[in-house]
Amino acid sequence: MTENAQQQPTAPSTELPTQYAPAEVEGTLYERWVERGYFAADAKSDKPPYTIVIPPPNVTGSLHLGHAFQHTLMDALTRRKRMQGYEALWLPGMDHAGIATQNKVEQQLAEEGKSRHDLGREEFVERVWQWKEEYGGRILGQMRRLGDGVDWDRERFTMDEGLSKAVLTIFKRLYEDELIYRAERIINWCPRCLTAISDIEVEYQEDAGELVSIRYGEGEDSLVVATTRAETMLGDTAVAVHPDDERYQHLIGKQIKLPLTDRTIPVVADTHVDPEFGTGAVKVTPAHDPNDFEIGRRHDLPSLTIMDEHGVITVHGPFIGLDRYEARSAVVGALKEQGRIVAEKRPYMHSVGHCSRCKTTVEPRLSLQWWVKVAPLAKAAGDAVRDGRVKIHPEDMSKRYFDWVDNMHDWCISRQLWWGHRIPIWYGPDGEVVCVGPDEEPPTGEGWTQDSDVLDTWFSSGLWPFSTLGWPEQTEDLRKFYPTDVLLTGHDIIFFWVARMMMFGLYAMDGQAPFHTIALTGLVRDEFGKKMSKSNPNAVDPLVWMDAYGSDAVRFTLANGANPGADVPIGEDWVKASRNFTNKIWNATRFALMNGATVEGPLPDASEMSATDRWILSRLNTTVAQVDAYYDDYQFAKLADALYHFAWDEVFDWYVELSKTTFFAGGEQARVSGRVLGEVLDVTLRLLHPVIPFVTDALWTTLTGGESLVIGDWPADSGFRDRDAEQEIALVQRVITEVRRFRKDQGLKDGQKVPARLDLTGTALAPHEPAIRQLLRLQPEDETFAATATLPVAGATVALDLSGTIDVAAERKRLAKDLAAAEKEKAQATGKLGNEAFLAKAPDNVVDKIRGRLAKADEDIERIKAQLDRLPQA
């Protein structure tokens, strides 16, 4: 079943501390793994490659539960593949996070009473690098706490020398292929961060605004427009109506007076206008609205910019210098004085864009920026999924991917920041524009300047799967480990990152997609399903839980909730339960080692084994096959659940307990069962290791004497199945379960011994009588034995003498009271459900609740009556 069984390891020590203390094991064990190079991947190896690149966390970040969740799953995948004999590379690194990092350093400067302009560009960038060295990368140390098996020798940063070369290389190629261009377009502008941001960096939310209706023009040559942004009327260059709207046919093509200004503007006909919405007439401000910009292009309208980068009005005397919100009130007031307000302001909920970084309301703004022409790149990214080269898991997430790549707008890649990859374009004194590649010298001489903008952070992180492996050089790493095998990431960044990597990977790597599979996860939420946020009291620092319960407990809890694409609820009680599981593994292995469990020597022949031995080996192989199937389908919750129930229920609660009489008796059968138990523990620890690596490695090395599970072999399904043994043990379990239930119903304590007669004639239970008696605390009958309760179960009969163990009269009295309460509950529920007037008025959820109470009452009545029937007569 495992190679270990044939390797004849050295005899292990059976000494384990009485309790598992994660804090005393995890840190030391992790450093040992790193020092011994277990996570280092060899590009020269003949082993087949398996590659995952980490979604690079921001250099400003620290470990949160979302990171811990995805890292646990990636680590589990990589560890399993390493154990399966693959050359497994999990490549770590960080993102320079342009806006977020620049904001951090600017906040520091503000505390000193300075701005970046006081330092100048060069000194400011140097200050950011200093900040990065001092504060950046905290998350990398925290990843070690979690147990991430990454190749630290290959750690990358999106602004290191190699990745910077990759950025310059692909920029120049795209530029020369006319896929990068400069144009004046409407962009999303953040007046707080003072930079353009892409569509996917804008968060929309319903905000309360005020809708005001304004009359443009005079007399019959007038019309009414409604707006929530009255201040932008200062930049209007037209009013648009639908060409088929009969109300405005006489105005199309005419000039009308724009209030508060000395300008006249045309009325244009455009099919974009919805004649059914509002008055059917819309103001057109091409420099401050994306839809208006397109109308302006179609009708050759001028674009008037009326605000600066801070959102301050720059035109029309009375309003110059006012903030956009101040100007809104001032403009409405001025219009009211002129009698131009047709309808008073009224509340209006509408979708408003906010900067995802600082939550400031975004201002649409006409601006000269650099763009990627995405149409051919996005088509290639869609085709790669459609033709099966790349699979999205779960498959139903493909729709979200296609919705994005099939409808993608050109991507604004320039940012008005100083921290980031500076755009490699130089402008000459006579209008020259030169793109400079990584190995080229920029033009020099008077009048030559480099573009002051930097590239969007997602531009460099979009190169991550191949730039981290050495591209544009044809390195051994690139040849060995590209394309990567799986991208495991949250479904929330399909648009930000996944699509970017697909576009760039296919473009740069000759049509070779950057990964074979995109495995999408949900988001971590609290135990009530609410989103975790730093601003809410439900946010959890995973390090706190790791300190309290151990990293394995946190990892197992996260894996246990990881259904593909679905959000993951998590609460502290669940982490405590996982801590209990790691303790159970520790204690059960300790017991096994003290009672002869061993991996020495070959596994005995099935003919030498008891049915209990054959049953657990059969179940073990079934579990191996199940776990493999779940891994291959990225069903982490199912594999964690299967391992939990196999380890706790079948191995520890059933096999170990059923085998105790054998171990205590000693002899040949104890030796056989000890070897079987050793095999089962060996394989179980291997199966558990990718998810809970620390406790399993500590136990496995003690059990086997092996070097480390990190480099151990992944178990294979040997094909051994014994259905007869499985059916036989199922009968044993049924007998024990039924009698335990009866004992509990009678109020017997777990350790309380009861005289019993077992009639196992004609069943396969006879060999198991010692174990059954041991687990049920059943004493042999003596000359005073008198059966007061008889339980027929699984073809056998268990007769119990309860005289002297319970007060029958008191128990009958207690049960009678419970029965009366259950019957009263039934009567009340039946009465309500039979009342048509009640049913007509009551909400469905209330009726369903009463039906549930009735069903519960029926169950209670049946259960209590059965308990009374089983009691001896008083």
Side-chain angles (χ1 to χ4, degrees):
M1 190 175 302
T2 67
E3 290 185 15
N4 186 73
Q6 284 77 41
Q7 288 175 348
Q8 294 292 323
T10 57
S13 165
T14 59
E15 291 299 320
L16 281 173
T18 55
Q19 290 185 322
Y20 178 49
E24 297 175 10
V25 172
E26 293 177 348
T28 303
L29 196 51
Y30 186 84
E31 292 309 315
R32 186 185 307 156
W33 293 337
V34 173
E35 289 168 6
R36 294 181 178 179
Y38 293 157
F39 305 139
D42 182 2
K44 296 183 173 66
S45 167
D46 292 332
K47 297 177 181 178
Y50 183 82
T51 316
I52 295 179
V53 290
I54 205 167
N58 288 351
V59 69
T60 58
S62 59
L63 191 72
H64 58 65
L65 274 174
H67 288 126
F69 169 55
Q70 292 181 356
H71 287 207
T72 293
L73 306 188
M74 285 184 279
D75 194 34
L77 290 172
T78 311
R79 285 176 182 270
R80 172 176 174 255
K81 284 296 182 179
R82 187 179 292 114
M83 295 173 74
Q84 286 182 316
Y86 286 79
E87 195 62 46
L89 169 60
W90 186 18
L91 193 147
M94 291 181 295
D95 194 296
H96 66 280
I99 295 177
T101 308
Q102 179 156 321
N103 282 348
K104 288 280 189 183
V105 178
E106 288 198 86
Q107 287 167 13
Q108 274 192 346
L109 289 174
E111 292 172 3
E112 300 170 14
K114 298 178 183 177
S115 75
R116 60 180 162 127
H117 300 286
D118 294 323
L119 273 65
R121 183 169 194 143
E122 188 174 334
E123 188 177 342
F124 176 78
V125 171
E126 178 58 33
R127 178 74 175 258
V128 182
W129 276 107
Q130 291 172 7
W131 183 93
K132 184 258 180 185
E133 292 304 315
E134 185 173 356
Y135 297 103
R138 287 172 296 173
I139 196 170
L140 297 178
Q142 294 163 345
M143 285 164 56
R144 303 171 90 93
R145 283 287 314 277
L146 188 64
D148 284 6
V150 296
D151 188 343
W152 291 110
D153 292 337
R154 284 182 167 84
E155 180 191 331
R156 303 304 300 267
F157 179 54
T158 50
M159 282 185 63
D160 68 28
E161 183 178 351
L163 269 65
S164 295
K165 182 176 183 178
V167 168
L168 296 176
T169 300
I170 202 162
F171 186 99
K172 186 172 178 67
R173 290 189 188 179
L174 289 164
Y175 180 80
E176 291 178 344
D177 286 345
E178 299 183 348
L179 293 174
I180 283 182
Y181 64 95
R182 196 182 192 211
E184 196 172 41
R185 300 274 180 84
I186 289 284
I187 49 91
N188 304 297
W189 181 265
C190 176
R192 158 64 183 78
C193 298
L194 297 179
T195 182
I197 57 176
S198 65
D199 291 344
I200 52 179
E201 292 171 301
V202 178
E203 295 177 347
Y204 287 90
Q205 65 185 46
E206 290 294 312
D207 282 2
E210 291 181 324
L211 193 66
V212 60
S213 297
I214 310 168
R215 182 175 297 281
Y216 285 21
E218 306 294 342
E220 291 185 358
D221 291 347
S222 69
L223 39 66
V224 175
V225 300
T227 181
T228 59
R229 305 177 68 218
E231 73 282 4
T232 63
M233 66 159 292
L234 301 172
D236 285 359
T237 57
V239 173
V241 297
H242 194 277
D244 300 330
D245 194 331
E246 294 182 0
R247 294 171 293 178
Y248 303 115
Q249 292 297 311
H250 68 291
L251 287 176
I252 295 173
K254 287 189 175 182
Q255 296 281 326
I256 62 172
K257 182 75 164 55
L258 179 66
L260 304 184
T261 73
D262 57 2
R263 292 190 291 117
T264 60
I265 57 176
V267 177
V268 300
D270 197 283
T271 54
H272 170 77
V273 180
D274 180 1
E276 302 298 323
F277 183 77
T279 64
V282 298
K283 57 191 290 299
V284 181
T285 320
H288 292 278
D289 183 275
N291 293 321
D292 293 3
F293 177 76
E294 294 302 325
I295 293 175
R297 291 178 68 179
R298 288 194 288 272
H299 298 277
D300 199 25
L301 299 173
S303 296
L304 303 181
T305 299
I306 64 164
M307 293 182 210
D308 66 14
E309 63 269 24
H310 298 279
V312 173
I313 302 297
T314 58
V315 299
H316 203 68
F319 309 109
I320 291 176
L322 295 181
D323 171 83
R324 52 185 169 162
Y325 300 114
E326 296 171 334
R328 185 171 301 170
S329 296
V331 166
V332 171
L335 289 167
K336 190 176 293 186
E337 288 181 7
Q338 293 189 4
R340 292 285 176 178
I341 301 298
V342 175
E344 287 297 322
K345 295 186 289 184
R346 58 186 176 87
Y348 182 73
M349 295 299 295
H350 60 140
S351 182
V352 178
H354 297 261
C355 173
S356 62
R357 301 289 183 186
C358 69
K359 311 309 177 187
T360 300
T361 300
V362 167
E363 189 65 41
R365 187 167 187 259
L366 187 64
S367 182
L368 185 62
Q369 302 283 346
W370 285 95
W371 304 80
V372 171
K373 186 184 296 182
V374 300
L377 303 173
K379 182 181 183 303
D383 290 345
V385 174
R386 287 189 169 96
D387 64 25
R389 279 175 288 158
V390 177
K391 298 189 181 303
I392 293 180
H393 186 87
E395 191 175 353
D396 59 11
M397 285 282 179
S398 298
K399 183 180 184 303
R400 295 187 66 184
Y401 176 81
F402 291 132
D403 284 347
W404 179 252
V405 298
D406 292 348
N407 300 285
M408 195 183 297
H409 300 297
D410 282 3
W411 171 19
C412 177
I413 56 172
S414 45
R415 298 291 180 268
Q416 289 64 56
L417 304 171
W418 288 354
W419 173 246
H421 295 281
R422 194 166 175 180
I423 289 176
I425 295 289
W426 268 256
Y427 304 106
D430 298 317
E432 303 96 331
V433 178
V434 176
C435 181
V436 178
D439 300 317
E440 299 170 350
E441 292 294 326
T444 56
E446 187 175 349
W448 282 93
T449 59
Q450 185 179 359
D451 195 296
S452 61
D453 290 350
V454 300
L455 288 164
D456 178 12
T457 296
W458 297 102
F459 190 94
S460 52
S461 60
L463 315 180
W464 190 253
F466 52 95
S467 63
T468 52
L469 296 172
W471 188 90
E473 307 301 329
Q474 292 302 307
T475 63
E476 286 186 330
D477 277 0
L478 193 63
R479 286 191 292 270
K480 177 76 173 180
F481 296 112
Y482 188 91
T484 68
D485 286 86
V486 60
L487 171 72
L488 192 143
T489 191
H491 60 64
D492 57 321
I493 60 171
I494 290 177
F495 323 120
F496 288 88
W497 192 45
V498 178
R500 310 295 193 214
M501 287 189 290
M502 286 288 284
M503 291 192 302
F504 282 165
L506 290 160
Y507 173 79
M509 299 300 293
D510 300 320
Q512 207 172 20
F515 17 75
H516 300 305
T517 301
I518 301 169
L520 297 170
T521 70
L523 308 179
V524 177
R525 297 184 177 272
D526 71 13
E527 58 193 304
F528 305 107
K530 294 181 180 178
K531 183 178 179 180
M532 288 191 177
S533 168
K534 290 181 180 178
S535 59
N536 292 333
N538 66 350
V540 174
D541 181 352
L543 294 172
V544 173
W545 282 353
M546 284 187 236
D547 288 340
Y549 309 113
S551 298
D552 281 335
V554 174
R555 290 171 62 114
F556 192 80
T557 306
L558 292 165
N560 207 26
N563 289 298
D567 288 349
V568 184
I570 184 172
E572 187 167 8
D573 285 346
W574 304 342
V575 183
K576 289 179 182 178
S578 295
R579 184 271 316 273
N580 294 343
F581 180 49
T582 60
N583 287 344
K584 181 76 170 181
I585 298 168
W586 183 272
N587 294 333
T589 303
R590 184 171 178 273
F591 168 85
L593 288 169
M594 293 171 61
N595 287 276
T598 180
V599 295
E600 294 186 63
L603 200 62
D605 188 77
S607 61
E608 302 177 58
M609 298 179 190
S610 67
T612 309
D613 294 334
R614 297 195 306 276
W615 161 75
I616 196 61
L617 289 176
S618 184
R619 291 294 307 132
L620 176 67
N621 280 285
T622 298
T623 302
V624 170
Q626 283 179 333
V627 169
D628 275 331
Y630 290 145
Y631 262 117
D632 293 340
D633 198 33
Y634 304 99
Q635 297 279 359
F636 296 98
K638 290 183 178 180
L639 73 87
D641 186 67
L643 286 169
Y644 177 90
H645 288 293
F646 174 71
W648 191 308
D649 298 344
E650 297 187 281
V651 179
F652 304 143
D653 276 359
W654 282 111
Y655 180 71
V656 170
E657 294 299 320
L658 287 171
S659 301
K660 278 184 177 179
T661 53
T662 300
F663 291 135
F664 295 161
E668 180 59 20
Q669 191 56 56
R671 185 195 66 79
V672 170
S673 293
R675 180 63 188 89
V676 170
L677 179 54
E679 179 75 7
V680 171
L681 287 175
D682 177 11
V683 174
T684 301
L685 292 171
R686 292 172 192 261
L687 290 173
L688 286 165
H689 175 73
V691 179
I692 47 174
F694 293 108
V695 68
T696 51
D697 198 43
L699 292 173
W700 184 84
T701 52
T702 303
L703 171 70
T704 68
E707 183 179 342
S708 175
L709 257 183
V710 180
I711 55 171
D713 298 319
W714 183 253
D717 175 7
S718 71
F720 178 83
R721 300 290 191 279
D722 193 324
R723 302 305 179 199
D724 291 340
E726 290 194 34
Q727 291 176 5
E728 185 173 323
I729 299 305
L731 290 177
V732 175
Q733 291 172 323
R734 184 178 167 192
V735 169
I736 292 171
T737 301
E738 288 293 323
V739 177
R740 277 178 173 165
R741 183 179 295 120
F742 176 76
R743 286 176 59 105
K744 184 177 181 181
D745 288 344
Q746 305 311 312
L748 295 174
K749 296 178 181 178
D750 290 342
Q752 192 169 355
K753 295 182 179 180
V754 178
R757 177 190 300 134
L758 274 60
D759 183 0
L760 310 177
T761 306
T763 72
L765 295 168
H768 303 283
E769 181 169 346
I772 292 171
R773 286 188 175 275
Q774 169 75 20
L775 291 177
L776 291 173
R777 305 295 190 267
L778 301 181
Q779 292 179 316
E781 57 183 301
D782 58 20
E783 64 278 0
T784 64
F785 179 84
T788 58
T790 303
L791 284 74
V793 56
T797 301
V798 179
L800 303 173
D801 182 355
L802 299 179
S803 59
T805 59
I806 60 172
D807 184 334
V808 176
E811 185 64 13
R812 281 190 174 278
K813 185 176 180 180
R814 182 184 71 80
L815 290 172
K817 183 178 178 181
D818 290 347
L819 181 61
E823 288 174 336
K824 181 180 179 181
E825 175 74 1
K826 178 178 180 179
Q828 290 176 342
T830 302
K832 286 186 177 181
L833 294 174
N835 184 335
E836 292 185 5
F838 170 78
L839 293 175
K841 295 179 180 178
D844 290 344
N845 65 317
V846 173
V847 175
D848 289 342
K849 187 174 181 179
I850 293 172
R851 288 190 179 122
R853 284 169 49 191
L854 177 60
K856 175 68 165 54
D858 281 334
E859 290 176 8
D860 288 345
I861 290 168
E862 184 178 352
R863 175 180 56 80
I864 295 167
K865 284 182 175 180
Q867 289 176 243
L868 284 166
D869 290 341
R870 289 171 177 168
L871 278 175
Q873 296 301 312

